[in-house]
Amino acid sequence: MASQKIQKLNGAEPDGFETTVATELFNLEMSATDIKPILRNLYITAAKEIDVSATKKAIVISVPYKLLAQFHKIQPKIIRELEKKFSGKHVMIVANRTILGKSYSRKAGVSGPRPRSRTLTKVQDSILEDLVFPTEIVGKRTRCKVDGSKTLRVFLDPKDQVNVENKLETFASVYAKLTNKNVQFT
C-alpha cells in the first residue's frame, strides 16, 4: 500500500530512500486520524537527501504542483511527524514546476507568449516560498558584490522567527543545491 504514496514521473521505479519516505507517509496516514481524509489522496513524486553540513542532512520531498495546496493544509503536521521519524533531519516539501526557455513556442493552433509562471525567475522564487512554508517572506534584496557575485537576502516574517531560526542554514543550503543561487536568511 505504501507504493501508492509515490508515483514517479514517466513510470520510473522509486529508489530505496523514496520508498522509505513513502512508507512513512503511509504509516502517518494510518495513524493520524485527523489528517487521514486529506492525506489519503496525496502522493509524492520524489524524495532526496541533501547534505546541509558535515553532520546535518535535509530531506526534500517533491510533490505534484496540483497537490501542493492540499499539502499546505496539513504541512506543519506532516513535517513534524516526518522529522520525528527521520531522527531530527529537516524535511521540506517542494512542488514540481516546469521551466520553459525563452525560445518557447506553442503548438500549432494556439498562440501566445510563454506564461510568466514558467520563467526561470518565477520558478526559483516559488521554490524559495515552498522551502520556507508556512513562514512568509516579507522582503528580498539582491546584493551585488564588486567581484560580480550576487547574494539574495531574504527577510522572513518576524512572528515565526522562533520556529525557523534553527532551519535557516538548511534553507540556504537546500536552495543553493536546487537553484545554484546563494541566499542568506534574516
Side-chain angles (χ1 to χ4, degrees), residues 62-100:
S62 299
V63 300
Y65 177 74
K66 291 182 177 184
L67 298 179
L68 184 65
Q70 293 173 343
F71 267 103
H72 280 336
K73 292 178 186 175
I74 56 174
Q75 186 167 342
K77 180 147 179 104
I78 290 175
I79 288 178
R80 192 174 336 112
E81 294 298 323
L82 288 177
E83 285 178 350
K84 286 180 197 173
K85 300 278 186 189
F86 290 106
S87 66
K89 294 179 184 173
H90 293 145
V91 177
M92 284 155 271
I93 296 176
V94 178
N96 291 336
R97 291 189 168 81
T98 304
I99 300 171
L100 299 175

PDB file of all heavy atoms in Angstrom, residues 62-100:
ATOM      1  N   SER A  62       9.406  16.055  -3.202  1.00  0.00           N
ATOM      2  CA  SER A  62       8.772  16.690  -4.357  1.00  0.00           C
ATOM      3  C   SER A  62       7.356  16.163  -4.506  1.00  0.00           C
ATOM      4  O   SER A  62       7.126  14.959  -4.427  1.00  0.00           O
ATOM      5  CB  SER A  62       9.550  16.395  -5.629  1.00  0.00           C
ATOM      6  OG  SER A  62      10.857  16.899  -5.523  1.00  0.00           O
ATOM      7  N   VAL A  63       6.435  17.098  -4.730  1.00  0.00           N
ATOM      8  CA  VAL A  63       5.027  16.736  -4.898  1.00  0.00           C
ATOM      9  C   VAL A  63       4.518  17.351  -6.190  1.00  0.00           C
ATOM     10  O   VAL A  63       5.084  18.334  -6.680  1.00  0.00           O
ATOM     11  CB  VAL A  63       4.171  17.215  -3.698  1.00  0.00           C
ATOM     12  CG1 VAL A  63       4.658  16.588  -2.416  1.00  0.00           C
ATOM     13  CG2 VAL A  63       4.167  18.727  -3.588  1.00  0.00           C
ATOM     14  N   PRO A  64       3.469  16.810  -6.784  1.00  0.00           N
ATOM     15  CA  PRO A  64       2.902  17.433  -7.982  1.00  0.00           C
ATOM     16  C   PRO A  64       2.368  18.827  -7.656  1.00  0.00           C
ATOM     17  O   PRO A  64       1.834  19.057  -6.569  1.00  0.00           O
ATOM     18  CB  PRO A  64       1.759  16.501  -8.376  1.00  0.00           C
ATOM     19  CG  PRO A  64       2.040  15.226  -7.685  1.00  0.00           C
ATOM     20  CD  PRO A  64       2.795  15.562  -6.453  1.00  0.00           C
ATOM     21  N   TYR A  65       2.506  19.739  -8.598  1.00  0.00           N
ATOM     22  CA  TYR A  65       2.069  21.118  -8.367  1.00  0.00           C
ATOM     23  C   TYR A  65       0.577  21.183  -8.026  1.00  0.00           C
ATOM     24  O   TYR A  65       0.165  21.971  -7.172  1.00  0.00           O
ATOM     25  CB  TYR A  65       2.370  21.973  -9.604  1.00  0.00           C
ATOM     26  CG  TYR A  65       1.886  23.387  -9.456  1.00  0.00           C
ATOM     27  CD1 TYR A  65       2.558  24.282  -8.638  1.00  0.00           C
ATOM     28  CD2 TYR A  65       0.740  23.821 -10.107  1.00  0.00           C
ATOM     29  CE1 TYR A  65       2.098  25.578  -8.480  1.00  0.00           C
ATOM     30  CE2 TYR A  65       0.280  25.109  -9.950  1.00  0.00           C
ATOM     31  CZ  TYR A  65       0.962  25.991  -9.142  1.00  0.00           C
ATOM     32  OH  TYR A  65       0.506  27.257  -8.972  1.00  0.00           O
ATOM     33  N   LYS A  66      -0.226  20.338  -8.648  1.00  0.00           N
ATOM     34  CA  LYS A  66      -1.671  20.361  -8.413  1.00  0.00           C
ATOM     35  C   LYS A  66      -2.041  19.945  -6.997  1.00  0.00           C
ATOM     36  O   LYS A  66      -3.104  20.308  -6.506  1.00  0.00           O
ATOM     37  CB  LYS A  66      -2.393  19.458  -9.410  1.00  0.00           C
ATOM     38  CG  LYS A  66      -2.357  19.990 -10.819  1.00  0.00           C
ATOM     39  CD  LYS A  66      -3.113  19.092 -11.770  1.00  0.00           C
ATOM     40  CE  LYS A  66      -3.126  19.679 -13.164  1.00  0.00           C
ATOM     41  NZ  LYS A  66      -3.916  18.885 -14.094  1.00  0.00           N
ATOM     42  N   LEU A  67      -1.190  19.189  -6.333  1.00  0.00           N
ATOM     43  CA  LEU A  67      -1.474  18.735  -4.977  1.00  0.00           C
ATOM     44  C   LEU A  67      -0.844  19.616  -3.903  1.00  0.00           C
ATOM     45  O   LEU A  67      -1.054  19.389  -2.716  1.00  0.00           O
ATOM     46  CB  LEU A  67      -0.980  17.298  -4.784  1.00  0.00           C
ATOM     47  CG  LEU A  67      -1.618  16.231  -5.656  1.00  0.00           C
ATOM     48  CD1 LEU A  67      -0.996  14.877  -5.370  1.00  0.00           C
ATOM     49  CD2 LEU A  67      -3.114  16.191  -5.452  1.00  0.00           C
ATOM     50  N   LEU A  68      -0.082  20.633  -4.308  1.00  0.00           N
ATOM     51  CA  LEU A  68       0.641  21.462  -3.339  1.00  0.00           C
ATOM     52  C   LEU A  68      -0.301  22.164  -2.365  1.00  0.00           C
ATOM     53  O   LEU A  68      -0.029  22.208  -1.164  1.00  0.00           O
ATOM     54  CB  LEU A  68       1.523  22.483  -4.055  1.00  0.00           C
ATOM     55  CG  LEU A  68       2.396  23.348  -3.140  1.00  0.00           C
ATOM     56  CD1 LEU A  68       3.411  22.466  -2.425  1.00  0.00           C
ATOM     57  CD2 LEU A  68       3.103  24.424  -3.931  1.00  0.00           C
ATOM     58  N   ALA A  69      -1.413  22.689  -2.844  1.00  0.00           N
ATOM     59  CA  ALA A  69      -2.351  23.400  -1.963  1.00  0.00           C
ATOM     60  C   ALA A  69      -2.915  22.458  -0.902  1.00  0.00           C
ATOM     61  O   ALA A  69      -3.089  22.860   0.262  1.00  0.00           O
ATOM     62  CB  ALA A  69      -3.474  24.009  -2.780  1.00  0.00           C
ATOM     63  N   GLN A  70      -3.173  21.210  -1.272  1.00  0.00           N
ATOM     64  CA  GLN A  70      -3.673  20.251  -0.289  1.00  0.00           C
ATOM     65  C   GLN A  70      -2.588  19.869   0.715  1.00  0.00           C
ATOM     66  O   GLN A  70      -2.874  19.668   1.895  1.00  0.00           O
ATOM     67  CB  GLN A  70      -4.209  19.008  -0.999  1.00  0.00           C
ATOM     68  CG  GLN A  70      -5.443  19.292  -1.822  1.00  0.00           C
ATOM     69  CD  GLN A  70      -5.869  18.092  -2.649  1.00  0.00           C
ATOM     70  OE1 GLN A  70      -5.099  17.159  -2.853  1.00  0.00           O
ATOM     71  NE2 GLN A  70      -7.094  18.128  -3.136  1.00  0.00           N
ATOM     72  N   PHE A  71      -1.333  19.778   0.254  1.00  0.00           N
ATOM     73  CA  PHE A  71      -0.237  19.505   1.175  1.00  0.00           C
ATOM     74  C   PHE A  71      -0.065  20.663   2.147  1.00  0.00           C
ATOM     75  O   PHE A  71       0.246  20.452   3.315  1.00  0.00           O
ATOM     76  CB  PHE A  71       1.076  19.268   0.420  1.00  0.00           C
ATOM     77  CG  PHE A  71       1.363  17.829   0.117  1.00  0.00           C
ATOM     78  CD1 PHE A  71       1.164  17.314  -1.151  1.00  0.00           C
ATOM     79  CD2 PHE A  71       1.835  16.978   1.090  1.00  0.00           C
ATOM     80  CE1 PHE A  71       1.422  15.986  -1.438  1.00  0.00           C
ATOM     81  CE2 PHE A  71       2.102  15.642   0.819  1.00  0.00           C
ATOM     82  CZ  PHE A  71       1.897  15.148  -0.451  1.00  0.00           C
ATOM     83  N   HIS A  72      -0.257  21.905   1.685  1.00  0.00           N
ATOM     84  CA  HIS A  72      -0.090  23.061   2.551  1.00  0.00           C
ATOM     85  C   HIS A  72      -1.078  23.050   3.720  1.00  0.00           C
ATOM     86  O   HIS A  72      -0.771  23.559   4.790  1.00  0.00           O
ATOM     87  CB  HIS A  72      -0.242  24.368   1.770  1.00  0.00           C
ATOM     88  CG  HIS A  72       0.995  24.764   1.013  1.00  0.00           C
ATOM     89  ND1 HIS A  72       2.262  24.358   1.353  1.00  0.00           N
ATOM     90  CD2 HIS A  72       1.163  25.538  -0.080  1.00  0.00           C
ATOM     91  CE1 HIS A  72       3.145  24.859   0.516  1.00  0.00           C
ATOM     92  NE2 HIS A  72       2.496  25.582  -0.386  1.00  0.00           N
ATOM     93  N   LYS A  73      -2.254  22.470   3.517  1.00  0.00           N
ATOM     94  CA  LYS A  73      -3.250  22.433   4.589  1.00  0.00           C
ATOM     95  C   LYS A  73      -2.755  21.632   5.794  1.00  0.00           C
ATOM     96  O   LYS A  73      -3.070  21.968   6.930  1.00  0.00           O
ATOM     97  CB  LYS A  73      -4.558  21.808   4.085  1.00  0.00           C
ATOM     98  CG  LYS A  73      -5.290  22.651   3.083  1.00  0.00           C
ATOM     99  CD  LYS A  73      -6.540  21.933   2.596  1.00  0.00           C
ATOM    100  CE  LYS A  73      -7.214  22.703   1.472  1.00  0.00           C
ATOM    101  NZ  LYS A  73      -8.345  21.951   0.915  1.00  0.00           N
ATOM    102  N   ILE A  74      -1.986  20.581   5.536  1.00  0.00           N
ATOM    103  CA  ILE A  74      -1.531  19.706   6.615  1.00  0.00           C
ATOM    104  C   ILE A  74      -0.007  19.650   6.733  1.00  0.00           C
ATOM    105  O   ILE A  74       0.525  18.823   7.472  1.00  0.00           O
ATOM    106  CB  ILE A  74      -2.092  18.278   6.414  1.00  0.00           C
ATOM    107  CG1 ILE A  74      -1.701  17.730   5.052  1.00  0.00           C
ATOM    108  CG2 ILE A  74      -3.580  18.251   6.614  1.00  0.00           C
ATOM    109  CD1 ILE A  74      -2.082  16.285   4.842  1.00  0.00           C
ATOM    110  N   GLN A  75       0.679  20.552   6.058  1.00  0.00           N
ATOM    111  CA  GLN A  75       2.140  20.501   6.015  1.00  0.00           C
ATOM    112  C   GLN A  75       2.812  20.591   7.388  1.00  0.00           C
ATOM    113  O   GLN A  75       3.742  19.828   7.655  1.00  0.00           O
ATOM    114  CB  GLN A  75       2.690  21.580   5.077  1.00  0.00           C
ATOM    115  CG  GLN A  75       4.195  21.478   4.890  1.00  0.00           C
ATOM    116  CD  GLN A  75       4.694  22.320   3.753  1.00  0.00           C
ATOM    117  OE1 GLN A  75       3.936  22.729   2.891  1.00  0.00           O
ATOM    118  NE2 GLN A  75       5.981  22.584   3.749  1.00  0.00           N
ATOM    119  N   PRO A  76       2.395  21.489   8.289  1.00  0.00           N
ATOM    120  CA  PRO A  76       3.090  21.531   9.593  1.00  0.00           C
ATOM    121  C   PRO A  76       3.046  20.188  10.327  1.00  0.00           C
ATOM    122  O   PRO A  76       4.048  19.750  10.895  1.00  0.00           O
ATOM    123  CB  PRO A  76       2.336  22.616  10.360  1.00  0.00           C
ATOM    124  CG  PRO A  76       1.768  23.492   9.298  1.00  0.00           C
ATOM    125  CD  PRO A  76       1.436  22.581   8.162  1.00  0.00           C
ATOM    126  N   LYS A  77       1.911  19.526  10.294  1.00  0.00           N
ATOM    127  CA  LYS A  77       1.802  18.228  10.979  1.00  0.00           C
ATOM    128  C   LYS A  77       2.638  17.158  10.281  1.00  0.00           C
ATOM    129  O   LYS A  77       3.326  16.371  10.941  1.00  0.00           O
ATOM    130  CB  LYS A  77       0.348  17.792  11.040  1.00  0.00           C
ATOM    131  CG  LYS A  77       0.171  16.469  11.720  1.00  0.00           C
ATOM    132  CD  LYS A  77      -1.106  16.382  12.460  1.00  0.00           C
ATOM    133  CE  LYS A  77      -1.238  15.026  13.109  1.00  0.00           C
ATOM    134  NZ  LYS A  77      -0.989  15.043  14.499  1.00  0.00           N
ATOM    135  N   ILE A  78       2.599  17.127   8.947  1.00  0.00           N
ATOM    136  CA  ILE A  78       3.396  16.142   8.201  1.00  0.00           C
ATOM    137  C   ILE A  78       4.880  16.333   8.491  1.00  0.00           C
ATOM    138  O   ILE A  78       5.599  15.376   8.763  1.00  0.00           O
ATOM    139  CB  ILE A  78       3.139  16.256   6.684  1.00  0.00           C
ATOM    140  CG1 ILE A  78       1.743  15.779   6.332  1.00  0.00           C
ATOM    141  CG2 ILE A  78       4.164  15.457   5.898  1.00  0.00           C
ATOM    142  CD1 ILE A  78       1.390  15.979   4.878  1.00  0.00           C
ATOM    143  N   ILE A  79       5.334  17.576   8.439  1.00  0.00           N
ATOM    144  CA  ILE A  79       6.757  17.858   8.663  1.00  0.00           C
ATOM    145  C   ILE A  79       7.164  17.477  10.079  1.00  0.00           C
ATOM    146  O   ILE A  79       8.207  16.865  10.293  1.00  0.00           O
ATOM    147  CB  ILE A  79       7.070  19.329   8.339  1.00  0.00           C
ATOM    148  CG1 ILE A  79       7.022  19.519   6.826  1.00  0.00           C
ATOM    149  CG2 ILE A  79       8.422  19.738   8.893  1.00  0.00           C
ATOM    150  CD1 ILE A  79       7.251  20.919   6.366  1.00  0.00           C
ATOM    151  N   ARG A  80       6.348  17.826  11.051  1.00  0.00           N
ATOM    152  CA  ARG A  80       6.650  17.498  12.449  1.00  0.00           C
ATOM    153  C   ARG A  80       6.796  15.990  12.633  1.00  0.00           C
ATOM    154  O   ARG A  80       7.756  15.514  13.255  1.00  0.00           O
ATOM    155  CB  ARG A  80       5.542  18.049  13.356  1.00  0.00           C
ATOM    156  CG  ARG A  80       5.877  18.018  14.810  1.00  0.00           C
ATOM    157  CD  ARG A  80       4.819  18.696  15.683  1.00  0.00           C
ATOM    158  NE  ARG A  80       3.998  19.673  15.016  1.00  0.00           N
ATOM    159  CZ  ARG A  80       2.680  19.536  14.772  1.00  0.00           C
ATOM    160  NH1 ARG A  80       2.048  18.440  15.145  1.00  0.00           N
ATOM    161  NH2 ARG A  80       2.001  20.478  14.157  1.00  0.00           N
ATOM    162  N   GLU A  81       5.862  15.228  12.072  1.00  0.00           N
ATOM    163  CA  GLU A  81       5.893  13.774  12.230  1.00  0.00           C
ATOM    164  C   GLU A  81       7.063  13.141  11.468  1.00  0.00           C
ATOM    165  O   GLU A  81       7.721  12.235  11.987  1.00  0.00           O
ATOM    166  CB  GLU A  81       4.574  13.160  11.760  1.00  0.00           C
ATOM    167  CG  GLU A  81       3.379  13.540  12.600  1.00  0.00           C
ATOM    168  CD  GLU A  81       3.482  13.089  14.041  1.00  0.00           C
ATOM    169  OE1 GLU A  81       4.018  11.985  14.292  1.00  0.00           O
ATOM    170  OE2 GLU A  81       3.046  13.836  14.928  1.00  0.00           O
ATOM    171  N   LEU A  82       7.335  13.622  10.247  1.00  0.00           N
ATOM    172  CA  LEU A  82       8.443  13.053   9.481  1.00  0.00           C
ATOM    173  C   LEU A  82       9.797  13.389  10.105  1.00  0.00           C
ATOM    174  O   LEU A  82      10.727  12.586  10.040  1.00  0.00           O
ATOM    175  CB  LEU A  82       8.387  13.517   8.026  1.00  0.00           C
ATOM    176  CG  LEU A  82       7.278  12.914   7.166  1.00  0.00           C
ATOM    177  CD1 LEU A  82       7.305  13.508   5.773  1.00  0.00           C
ATOM    178  CD2 LEU A  82       7.384  11.406   7.102  1.00  0.00           C
ATOM    179  N   GLU A  83       9.924  14.578  10.700  1.00  0.00           N
ATOM    180  CA  GLU A  83      11.177  14.929  11.361  1.00  0.00           C
ATOM    181  C   GLU A  83      11.411  14.055  12.585  1.00  0.00           C
ATOM    182  O   GLU A  83      12.551  13.738  12.918  1.00  0.00           O
ATOM    183  CB  GLU A  83      11.202  16.416  11.736  1.00  0.00           C
ATOM    184  CG  GLU A  83      11.438  17.307  10.534  1.00  0.00           C
ATOM    185  CD  GLU A  83      11.429  18.786  10.851  1.00  0.00           C
ATOM    186  OE1 GLU A  83      11.046  19.171  11.977  1.00  0.00           O
ATOM    187  OE2 GLU A  83      11.798  19.565   9.961  1.00  0.00           O
ATOM    188  N   LYS A  84      10.335  13.637  13.254  1.00  0.00           N
ATOM    189  CA  LYS A  84      10.479  12.684  14.360  1.00  0.00           C
ATOM    190  C   LYS A  84      10.943  11.326  13.833  1.00  0.00           C
ATOM    191  O   LYS A  84      11.831  10.694  14.408  1.00  0.00           O
ATOM    192  CB  LYS A  84       9.142  12.487  15.079  1.00  0.00           C
ATOM    193  CG  LYS A  84       8.719  13.623  15.950  1.00  0.00           C
ATOM    194  CD  LYS A  84       7.391  13.272  16.594  1.00  0.00           C
ATOM    195  CE  LYS A  84       6.696  14.486  17.147  1.00  0.00           C
ATOM    196  NZ  LYS A  84       5.334  14.161  17.628  1.00  0.00           N
ATOM    197  N   LYS A  85      10.339  10.878  12.735  1.00  0.00           N
ATOM    198  CA  LYS A  85      10.664   9.558  12.172  1.00  0.00           C
ATOM    199  C   LYS A  85      12.092   9.499  11.638  1.00  0.00           C
ATOM    200  O   LYS A  85      12.758   8.481  11.747  1.00  0.00           O
ATOM    201  CB  LYS A  85       9.713   9.205  11.027  1.00  0.00           C
ATOM    202  CG  LYS A  85       8.271   9.140  11.422  1.00  0.00           C
ATOM    203  CD  LYS A  85       7.933   7.820  12.053  1.00  0.00           C
ATOM    204  CE  LYS A  85       6.435   7.775  12.296  1.00  0.00           C
ATOM    205  NZ  LYS A  85       6.061   6.625  13.076  1.00  0.00           N
ATOM    206  N   PHE A  86      12.556  10.595  11.044  1.00  0.00           N
ATOM    207  CA  PHE A  86      13.890  10.611  10.449  1.00  0.00           C
ATOM    208  C   PHE A  86      14.917  11.254  11.377  1.00  0.00           C
ATOM    209  O   PHE A  86      15.843  11.928  10.918  1.00  0.00           O
ATOM    210  CB  PHE A  86      13.864  11.312   9.086  1.00  0.00           C
ATOM    211  CG  PHE A  86      13.153  10.518   8.032  1.00  0.00           C
ATOM    212  CD1 PHE A  86      11.897  10.899   7.598  1.00  0.00           C
ATOM    213  CD2 PHE A  86      13.725   9.387   7.496  1.00  0.00           C
ATOM    214  CE1 PHE A  86      11.232  10.173   6.632  1.00  0.00           C
ATOM    215  CE2 PHE A  86      13.073   8.643   6.531  1.00  0.00           C
ATOM    216  CZ  PHE A  86      11.818   9.033   6.100  1.00  0.00           C
ATOM    217  N   SER A  87      14.742  11.093  12.651  1.00  0.00           N
ATOM    218  CA  SER A  87      15.697  11.478  13.707  1.00  0.00           C
ATOM    219  C   SER A  87      16.294  12.882  13.536  1.00  0.00           C
ATOM    220  O   SER A  87      17.498  13.050  13.419  1.00  0.00           O
ATOM    221  CB  SER A  87      16.821  10.446  13.807  1.00  0.00           C
ATOM    222  OG  SER A  87      17.608  10.439  12.644  1.00  0.00           O
ATOM    223  N   GLY A  88      15.435  13.874  13.483  1.00  0.00           N
ATOM    224  CA  GLY A  88      15.889  15.253  13.515  1.00  0.00           C
ATOM    225  C   GLY A  88      16.336  15.848  12.196  1.00  0.00           C
ATOM    226  O   GLY A  88      16.790  16.985  12.159  1.00  0.00           O
ATOM    227  N   LYS A  89      16.242  15.123  11.090  1.00  0.00           N
ATOM    228  CA  LYS A  89      16.567  15.719   9.796  1.00  0.00           C
ATOM    229  C   LYS A  89      15.452  16.687   9.429  1.00  0.00           C
ATOM    230  O   LYS A  89      14.288  16.415   9.668  1.00  0.00           O
ATOM    231  CB  LYS A  89      16.676  14.638   8.714  1.00  0.00           C
ATOM    232  CG  LYS A  89      17.826  13.691   8.914  1.00  0.00           C
ATOM    233  CD  LYS A  89      17.846  12.650   7.831  1.00  0.00           C
ATOM    234  CE  LYS A  89      18.946  11.636   8.088  1.00  0.00           C
ATOM    235  NZ  LYS A  89      18.893  10.523   7.154  1.00  0.00           N
ATOM    236  N   HIS A  90      15.817  17.815   8.866  1.00  0.00           N
ATOM    237  CA  HIS A  90      14.813  18.782   8.444  1.00  0.00           C
ATOM    238  C   HIS A  90      14.131  18.288   7.172  1.00  0.00           C
ATOM    239  O   HIS A  90      14.784  17.818   6.248  1.00  0.00           O
ATOM    240  CB  HIS A  90      15.438  20.157   8.212  1.00  0.00           C
ATOM    241  CG  HIS A  90      15.931  20.785   9.480  1.00  0.00           C
ATOM    242  ND1 HIS A  90      17.052  21.558   9.528  1.00  0.00           N
ATOM    243  CD2 HIS A  90      15.457  20.754  10.751  1.00  0.00           C
ATOM    244  CE1 HIS A  90      17.252  21.968  10.765  1.00  0.00           C
ATOM    245  NE2 HIS A  90      16.300  21.484  11.525  1.00  0.00           N
ATOM    246  N   VAL A  91      12.807  18.428   7.123  1.00  0.00           N
ATOM    247  CA  VAL A  91      12.013  17.960   5.997  1.00  0.00           C
ATOM    248  C   VAL A  91      11.368  19.166   5.326  1.00  0.00           C
ATOM    249  O   VAL A  91      10.804  20.030   6.000  1.00  0.00           O
ATOM    250  CB  VAL A  91      10.927  16.962   6.467  1.00  0.00           C
ATOM    251  CG1 VAL A  91      10.061  16.528   5.312  1.00  0.00           C
ATOM    252  CG2 VAL A  91      11.566  15.763   7.134  1.00  0.00           C
ATOM    253  N   MET A  92      11.453  19.225   3.995  1.00  0.00           N
ATOM    254  CA  MET A  92      10.835  20.300   3.229  1.00  0.00           C
ATOM    255  C   MET A  92      10.056  19.725   2.068  1.00  0.00           C
ATOM    256  O   MET A  92      10.454  18.713   1.491  1.00  0.00           O
ATOM    257  CB  MET A  92      11.905  21.264   2.709  1.00  0.00           C
ATOM    258  CG  MET A  92      12.417  22.181   3.795  1.00  0.00           C
ATOM    259  SD  MET A  92      14.049  22.770   3.451  1.00  0.00           S
ATOM    260  CE  MET A  92      15.006  21.500   4.207  1.00  0.00           C
ATOM    261  N   ILE A  93       8.953  20.382   1.728  1.00  0.00           N
ATOM    262  CA  ILE A  93       8.109  19.937   0.622  1.00  0.00           C
ATOM    263  C   ILE A  93       8.162  20.991  -0.478  1.00  0.00           C
ATOM    264  O   ILE A  93       7.919  22.172  -0.218  1.00  0.00           O
ATOM    265  CB  ILE A  93       6.664  19.706   1.098  1.00  0.00           C
ATOM    266  CG1 ILE A  93       6.640  18.578   2.124  1.00  0.00           C
ATOM    267  CG2 ILE A  93       5.760  19.391  -0.075  1.00  0.00           C
ATOM    268  CD1 ILE A  93       5.292  18.313   2.744  1.00  0.00           C
ATOM    269  N   VAL A  94       8.490  20.553  -1.690  1.00  0.00           N
ATOM    270  CA  VAL A  94       8.632  21.444  -2.834  1.00  0.00           C
ATOM    271  C   VAL A  94       7.795  20.890  -3.981  1.00  0.00           C
ATOM    272  O   VAL A  94       7.759  19.680  -4.201  1.00  0.00           O
ATOM    273  CB  VAL A  94      10.120  21.549  -3.271  1.00  0.00           C
ATOM    274  CG1 VAL A  94      10.274  22.439  -4.481  1.00  0.00           C
ATOM    275  CG2 VAL A  94      10.973  22.062  -2.139  1.00  0.00           C
ATOM    276  N   ALA A  95       7.130  21.779  -4.715  1.00  0.00           N
ATOM    277  CA  ALA A  95       6.305  21.352  -5.844  1.00  0.00           C
ATOM    278  C   ALA A  95       7.160  21.170  -7.101  1.00  0.00           C
ATOM    279  O   ALA A  95       8.171  21.845  -7.277  1.00  0.00           O
ATOM    280  CB  ALA A  95       5.215  22.378  -6.120  1.00  0.00           C
ATOM    281  N   ASN A  96       6.739  20.254  -7.956  1.00  0.00           N
ATOM    282  CA  ASN A  96       7.369  20.095  -9.272  1.00  0.00           C
ATOM    283  C   ASN A  96       6.876  21.231 -10.162  1.00  0.00           C
ATOM    284  O   ASN A  96       5.680  21.413 -10.320  1.00  0.00           O
ATOM    285  CB  ASN A  96       6.973  18.764  -9.911  1.00  0.00           C
ATOM    286  CG  ASN A  96       7.559  17.581  -9.214  1.00  0.00           C
ATOM    287  OD1 ASN A  96       8.585  17.688  -8.556  1.00  0.00           O
ATOM    288  ND2 ASN A  96       6.915  16.450  -9.344  1.00  0.00           N
ATOM    289  N   ARG A  97       7.797  21.961 -10.723  1.00  0.00           N
ATOM    290  CA  ARG A  97       7.429  23.064 -11.616  1.00  0.00           C
ATOM    291  C   ARG A  97       8.207  22.930 -12.907  1.00  0.00           C
ATOM    292  O   ARG A  97       9.297  22.370 -12.943  1.00  0.00           O
ATOM    293  CB  ARG A  97       7.734  24.403 -10.952  1.00  0.00           C
ATOM    294  CG  ARG A  97       6.814  24.690  -9.782  1.00  0.00           C
ATOM    295  CD  ARG A  97       6.999  26.115  -9.309  1.00  0.00           C
ATOM    296  NE  ARG A  97       5.960  26.512  -8.395  1.00  0.00           N
ATOM    297  CZ  ARG A  97       5.939  26.225  -7.110  1.00  0.00           C
ATOM    298  NH1 ARG A  97       6.915  25.529  -6.582  1.00  0.00           N
ATOM    299  NH2 ARG A  97       4.955  26.634  -6.351  1.00  0.00           N
ATOM    300  N   THR A  98       7.654  23.503 -13.983  1.00  0.00           N
ATOM    301  CA  THR A  98       8.262  23.422 -15.307  1.00  0.00           C
ATOM    302  C   THR A  98       8.856  24.781 -15.672  1.00  0.00           C
ATOM    303  O   THR A  98       8.194  25.804 -15.511  1.00  0.00           O
ATOM    304  CB  THR A  98       7.201  23.041 -16.356  1.00  0.00           C
ATOM    305  OG1 THR A  98       6.592  21.819 -15.949  1.00  0.00           O
ATOM    306  CG2 THR A  98       7.825  22.871 -17.716  1.00  0.00           C
ATOM    307  N   ILE A  99      10.084  24.764 -16.157  1.00  0.00           N
ATOM    308  CA  ILE A  99      10.728  25.980 -16.656  1.00  0.00           C
ATOM    309  C   ILE A  99      10.735  25.895 -18.173  1.00  0.00           C
ATOM    310  O   ILE A  99      11.211  24.914 -18.745  1.00  0.00           O
ATOM    311  CB  ILE A  99      12.172  26.108 -16.139  1.00  0.00           C
ATOM    312  CG1 ILE A  99      12.198  26.162 -14.615  1.00  0.00           C
ATOM    313  CG2 ILE A  99      12.847  27.340 -16.735  1.00  0.00           C
ATOM    314  CD1 ILE A  99      13.581  26.080 -14.020  1.00  0.00           C
ATOM    315  N   LEU A 100      10.191  26.913 -18.818  1.00  0.00           N
ATOM    316  CA  LEU A 100      10.201  26.974 -20.275  1.00  0.00           C
ATOM    317  C   LEU A 100      11.233  28.010 -20.710  1.00  0.00           C
ATOM    318  O   LEU A 100      11.308  29.097 -20.141  1.00  0.00           O
ATOM    319  CB  LEU A 100       8.815  27.364 -20.804  1.00  0.00           C
ATOM    320  CG  LEU A 100       7.682  26.397 -20.456  1.00  0.00           C
ATOM    321  CD1 LEU A 100       6.359  26.952 -20.939  1.00  0.00           C
ATOM    322  CD2 LEU A 100       7.939  25.036 -21.054  1.00  0.00           C
TER     323      LEU A 100
END
